Amino acid sequence: MISSSKRDELIVSKIRNGTVIDHIPAGRALAVLRILGIRGSEGYRVALVMNVESKKIGRKDIVKIEDRVIDEKEASLITLIAPSATINIIRDYVVTEKRHLEVPKQIRGLIKCPNPQCITNNDVEAESRFTTISIKPLKLKCEYCEIYITEDDVIRQIL
């Protein structure tokens, strides 16, 4: 899937079917793989490119996964750690769907409130709910206990 050209550029071959996640902020590709539950033993062909130049965001990571499509929950979690990412669905070597991710105004049930006293950590019926306060930098507020969490807190939960 990966080879070098005469000019020492990295070339990653096309995939027939699957998903390409592009414009991931540099250094976040491993967290994206964690969200997707990919550890390496599942049998998927995966190409991981890290810290390459990007006109859009300076430096970026790219993840290609053959024969795997990202579901909505996975896309929502990826959005929290890589709001600039795009998810491209590939079928027969052609991009058939391109999704530009956006951090939603409200996030429900995807992440946990770090406050041990929060109702969401003490009542099995209570689903976590966060309101997005800012995107750059990411700052979320628990709708129950009003504690704030950052992008680093979200990444710690994922990892």
Side-chain angles (χ1 to χ4, degrees), residues 39-156:
R39 307 280 188 276
S41 59
E42 301 79 14
Y44 296 113
R45 264 178 78 182
V46 177
L48 179 66
V49 182
M50 297 180 73
N51 286 309
V52 295
E53 291 184 25
S54 166
K55 293 175 186 169
K56 184 177 175 184
I57 61 173
R59 292 198 126 346
K60 69 178 181 177
D61 293 352
I62 304 166
V63 175
K64 287 186 171 190
I65 311 143
E66 198 158 41
D67 296 323
R68 173 82 153 68
V69 177
I70 307 302
D71 67 32
E72 285 305 312
K73 182 177 180 182
E74 293 167 331
S76 296
L77 281 168
I78 291 168
T79 300
L80 296 178
I81 65 161
S84 59
T86 56
I87 295 177
N88 302 302
I89 306 302
I90 313 297
R91 290 189 180 91
D92 290 322
Y93 299 105
V94 176
V95 176
T96 58
E97 181 183 343
K98 187 173 203 144
R99 293 190 287 183
H100 297 275
L101 302 180
E102 289 185 15
V103 176
K105 291 180 179 164
Q106 289 202 333
I107 298 145
R108 294 176 175 224
L110 290 177
I111 53 176
K112 292 183 175 189
C113 180
N115 178 0
Q117 301 302 316
C118 183
I119 188 74
T120 61
N121 291 316
N122 296 295
D123 182 347
V124 293
E125 300 291 318
E127 179 181 59
S128 67
R129 291 195 310 218
F130 292 88
T131 300
T132 301
I133 304 302
S134 67
I135 295 171
K136 287 196 178 202
L138 182 68
K139 187 176 185 180
L140 308 173
K141 179 180 171 185
C142 177
E143 290 185 12
Y144 294 102
C145 70
E146 300 187 345
I147 194 168
Y148 292 94
I149 64 171
T150 65
E151 195 168 319
D152 289 338
D153 296 324
V154 172
I155 291 170
R156 271 193 292 278

